Amino acid sequence: MLNIAGLTAAVMFLLAGPCWRLYVWALDLGPGGWGGTALEDTPIAHSIQEMEALDRFALLVRGSGEAFYKADYFYVDGEAYWVLPLDSGELVAGRFTQTLENVQREKRDVYQELYPVGAWREWALTEEARSGVERDAPQLTTTAYFVDMEGRHRENMTEGRFKGGFRTLCLLAGLVSMFFVYRGQERQRKKEADVTLPQNDLERWLVGVYAVWGQFFAQLGRTPDGRRDVEARRGPIRIGGQPMDEQGRRFTRETLKDSWDISNQKELWETVDYMSAGPGFASCKTQADRAWQLCRSMQLLGMCFAAGWCSRTEMVERSCQVGRLIQGHFRSWEELCEGFLEGFYAWRLRSFGPEDAQAALQERRDIWRELQARPDSPYRLSWYLPLDPEAQRRREAFRGALEK
């Protein structure tokens, strides 16, 4: 986002000048252009005949001092026109910006003024307006044409206004770009976050094994000040308990390192094997011990996926191995969750004492009750759901074929 802002600022200042010059060129506003300052090679028209023959020209008016200010002028529809004398003795009407910009005054032997570059234009007047001109400026040789020395100068922007507008436009473009980049990043973050949402009943069953812990874990690591986001535990039930965005992956890895001393996939696989099939499980004497070991094994597999250390397929296949073991030792969701909570309380009691253990147990029981009441509760699934990844893939392929 800051890179876009910096690039926009650079464009604002680097391109304002070139774009102004392009604007001047496109509207023919520069020296030598229509309505601009006459140059040395700009032809001087001395008569109506020469003006008719030239596409662009300049008028050089000579006279005694203050000649310009004594010149006759009149108004047509609120615009001022000047009566300009030609060397041929003819008098014509001329129009240029009222600020008199691009008029070059010089005093040599006589006072002279070189007017802006002009063009001989047909004067489209109504009959009423033409009568007014003939009344106010009867000395004009013709009222059918006039010298237009204004060009597009009346309608153009000043350099300061143009550059200011250009920079404002660049700033707005930068803000719009930042908005769309932000929206794109948000969509990408949401897409990444939603990767940890279970996609079928098999995955919902696997997540249900550790959902009580998962909804507790969902409260952590999302607020800048480190406080729990209590409402998050009522949010989506996710694999590994966290969204799979950058923040979720980082927090999951930090938790694995801090709480488990696990830094990579290999260490995590070894821990799961120890707890579910090795000495950690073999030493279990009660159902609470078994639930504590097996639920946390499944939890670690979900965290492995949320941390970005394994594929979804690997996570599901390994989780199904643990899940089938769970189905062999427990007969219902209630028995498993009660055993997990009992094992959790025993661990908490040893580590933090009775008061803390009781408060932590109550929080997890509250989460369990909330999960049971949810319409998307994994505990609504059959306890004996077949935990067969290959069968699940065949069902999904068959369903996809029917939908087509």
Side-chain angles (χ1 to χ4, degrees):
M1 299 288 282
L2 292 177
N3 289 339
I4 294 174
L7 180 61
T8 301
V11 169
M12 285 166 57
F13 286 96
L14 293 178
L15 293 185
C19 286
W20 163 252
R21 291 189 289 274
L22 179 63
Y23 174 78
V24 168
W25 173 82
L27 293 186
D28 202 12
L29 299 173
W34 181 20
T37 305
L39 302 177
E40 291 184 3
D41 59 352
T42 303
I44 304 298
H46 302 280
S47 66
I48 291 178
Q49 183 178 5
E50 290 182 2
M51 289 192 293
E52 290 174 341
L54 294 170
D55 179 54
R56 300 284 171 83
F57 53 82
L59 296 181
L60 182 63
V61 177
R62 301 179 180 86
S64 57
E66 308 298 330
F68 177 78
Y69 296 103
K70 292 181 180 180
D72 292 332
Y73 61 91
F74 56 95
Y75 289 91
V76 177
D77 295 330
E79 292 191 30
Y81 288 79
W82 303 88
V83 178
L84 302 174
L86 304 179
D87 292 340
S88 63
E90 298 166 303
L91 296 172
V92 294
R95 184 182 69 184
F96 46 83
T97 54
Q98 303 231 7
T99 56
L100 309 182
E101 61 185 14
N102 300 329
V103 176
Q104 302 176 64
R105 298 184 177 89
E106 186 176 359
K107 187 175 182 180
R108 295 183 179 177
D109 298 333
V110 295
Y111 184 83
Q112 63 182 33
E113 292 177 343
L114 183 61
Y115 286 88
V117 177
W120 189 236
R121 292 282 183 253
E122 185 175 358
W123 208 352
L125 296 173
T126 64
E127 288 300 321
E128 181 180 358
R130 196 174 305 278
S131 298
V133 171
E134 292 171 351
R135 180 188 64 245
D136 297 335
Q139 68 273 45
L140 290 175
T141 302
T142 179
T143 59
Y145 292 85
F146 73 101
V147 183
D148 188 348
M149 294 173 284
E150 206 170 58
R152 297 187 177 90
H153 280 256
R154 184 183 294 271
E155 64 195 49
N156 81 291
M157 291 185 283
T158 63
E159 182 176 0
R161 185 179 174 189
F162 176 89
K163 289 183 176 179
F166 178 83
R167 287 166 180 157
T168 299
L169 183 63
C170 286
L171 180 60
L172 289 174
L175 292 174
V176 170
S177 299
M178 290 173 65
F179 171 76
F180 281 106
V181 168
Y182 174 77
R183 285 286 298 274
Q185 290 174 342
E186 282 297 299
R187 284 194 295 270
Q188 181 62 27
R189 279 193 288 267
K190 187 177 185 305
K191 183 178 179 181
E192 291 176 347
D194 289 350
V195 170
T196 53
L197 294 177
Q199 295 181 347
N200 49 55
D201 286 348
L202 174 59
E203 292 185 1
R204 280 189 283 275
W205 195 99
L206 299 175
V207 173
V209 170
Y210 57 88
V212 172
W213 169 86
Q215 297 312 98
F216 168 79
F217 191 53
Q219 304 172 107
L220 310 180
R222 308 304 293 184
T223 59
D225 56 4
R227 291 184 300 175
R228 292 184 187 178
D229 180 8
V230 178
E231 284 303 313
R233 80 188 201 192
R234 302 180 181 93
I237 302 171
R238 296 181 180 275
I239 298 169
Q242 285 282 325
M244 202 177 182
D245 54 14
E246 181 179 354
Q247 185 178 357
R249 288 195 299 270
R250 183 176 64 250
F251 183 67
T252 299
R253 292 175 183 178
E254 290 172 353
T255 301
L256 286 168
K257 179 61 179 176
D258 295 341
S259 300
W260 293 86
D261 196 25
I262 293 175
S263 301
N264 53 56
Q265 182 201 76
K266 180 176 181 295
E267 293 174 354
L268 190 143
W269 289 163
E270 290 173 351
T271 302
V272 170
D273 289 342
Y274 175 87
M275 293 169 59
S276 62
F281 184 73
S283 63
C284 292
K285 296 181 173 58
T286 66
Q287 285 292 76
D289 291 341
R290 295 184 187 94
W292 181 238
Q293 292 291 77
L294 294 177
C295 287
R296 291 189 303 148
S297 296
M298 192 80 86
Q299 163 200 322
L300 284 176
L301 293 171
M303 294 178 76
C304 186
F305 176 64
W309 290 349
C310 71
S311 69
R312 196 181 203 98
T313 300
E314 286 180 301
M315 179 274 297
V316 170
E317 289 178 351
R318 286 178 177 268
S319 296
C320 283
Q321 294 173 12
V322 177
R324 288 190 288 270
L325 186 61
I326 291 173
Q327 286 178 329
H329 285 83
F330 297 88
R331 291 167 295 182
S332 67
W333 286 114
E334 288 76 14
E335 184 184 6
L336 177 70
C337 291
E338 285 290 358
F340 168 77
L341 291 173
E342 185 179 341
F344 167 76
Y345 180 75
W347 168 78
R348 194 84 179 189
L349 186 63
R350 290 192 303 270
S351 303
F352 299 95
E355 185 175 348
D356 175 89
Q358 188 59 46
L361 176 63
Q362 185 59 52
E363 181 181 18
R364 281 156 180 76
R365 282 196 175 278
D366 291 341
I367 293 174
W368 183 29
R369 282 194 292 271
E370 290 170 1
L371 283 167
Q372 288 175 310
R374 290 173 60 145
D376 62 342
S377 173
Y379 307 136
R380 297 178 185 271
L381 296 170
S382 169
W383 173 252
Y384 292 106
L385 181 82
L387 304 182
D388 184 344
E390 184 57 38
Q392 179 65 42
R393 284 193 284 269
R394 288 196 299 269
R395 284 194 297 271
E396 290 177 352
F398 179 71
R399 189 180 299 113
L402 289 178
E403 290 174 353
K404 290 181 180 179

